[in-house]
Amino acid sequence: MQLVVARIGRAHGIKGEVTVEVRTDEPELRLGPGAVLATDPASVGPLTIETGRVHSGRLLLRFEGVRDRNGAEALRNTLLIAEVDPDEMPEDPDEYYDHQLMDLDVVTKDGEEIGRITEISHLPSQDLFVVERSDGSEVYIPFVEEIVVEIDLEEQRAVIDPPPGLIDDRAEVASSREAEAEAATEADA
């Protein structure tokens, strides 16, 4: 299975290094020296990583055969693609690869069907599941342990315990409960 692991950014310096936008949780495994990566567009690659280093918090890579700024700049916006065994699991048992989470059914702890994961959005603060509901609408669910309480790959489902307001119908239920409680308090007074 092929997975996008990085996108090449701008050239850095004059010796062929490029900045890289990392799109994998395991850059040391996927983007180490000697790694041969397919590319998109395919005509640019495959590319073999010669060296890698971190500079000012950014990963810099140099590829075999790229020796100057012009060559490095020509690679800008190229996607780097690694071949990954589909059965491979991350080292941490609480981590998952995107392809393992795609198309999982999302249900609440009570068994209410919410929809199916169609995309995983990687944001700086947290990851989000983009879940398509049966009516075609989408709901965004933060992939945090307080909300996503179980991932069951065998059953192909993600179990969630959403707070009120995260999923539209649950927000209405919470609001109506509050209104009923308020009305009961006023009636007692």
Side-chain angles (χ1 to χ4, degrees):
M1 164 181 293
Q2 294 190 325
L3 296 176
V4 173
V5 293
R7 183 184 67 80
I8 298 175
R10 59 184 173 76
H12 179 83
I14 60 172
K15 296 182 180 179
E17 285 185 313
V18 294
T19 61
V20 176
E21 175 190 311
V22 176
R23 295 188 180 176
T24 176
D25 288 338
E26 301 170 318
E28 63 285 345
L29 178 65
R30 310 275 180 229
L31 300 171
V36 179
L37 302 166
T39 60
D40 182 9
S43 60
V44 174
L47 293 173
T48 302
I49 297 174
E50 187 173 281
T51 63
R53 66 186 178 103
V54 176
H55 175 72
S56 297
R58 296 198 46 90
L59 179 61
L60 302 178
L61 297 178
R62 180 179 299 137
F63 299 99
E64 288 182 5
V66 179
R67 294 283 174 241
D68 61 21
R69 186 173 185 86
N70 291 339
E73 195 59 44
L75 298 175
R76 191 175 198 155
N77 293 322
T78 299
L79 297 177
L80 299 176
I81 303 167
E83 189 66 38
V84 177
D85 180 349
D87 295 328
E88 181 180 324
M89 296 290 289
E91 288 181 19
D92 185 339
D94 291 331
E95 288 184 3
Y96 301 91
Y97 293 129
D98 287 2
H99 72 274
Q100 294 172 306
L101 300 170
M102 293 296 292
D103 294 325
L104 291 184
D105 292 320
V106 178
V107 297
T108 65
K109 287 182 5 178
D110 303 332
E112 176 188 353
E113 293 186 17
I114 304 301
R116 183 175 297 261
I117 298 172
T118 57
E119 183 181 339
I120 289 91
S121 181
H122 300 283
L123 303 175
S125 59
Q126 67 191 17
D127 296 337
L128 287 177
F129 290 160
V130 179
V131 177
E132 184 176 323
R133 303 190 77 167
S134 59
D135 65 3
S137 65
E138 290 182 335
V139 62
Y140 300 96
I141 298 176
F143 187 22
V144 294
E145 64 183 274
E146 294 82 14
I147 296 172
V148 180
V149 295
E150 179 185 1
I151 298 289
D152 187 338
L153 296 178
E154 286 186 26
E155 295 293 321
Q156 286 291 289
R157 68 181 187 165
V159 180
I160 64 171
D161 185 13
L166 183 64
I167 299 172
D168 297 344
D169 12 305
R170 288 179 62 94
E172 292 169 18
V173 170
S175 298
S176 63
R177 274 193 217 134
E178 291 170 5
E180 288 172 12
E182 199 172 292
T185 304
E186 290 174 7
D188 291 338

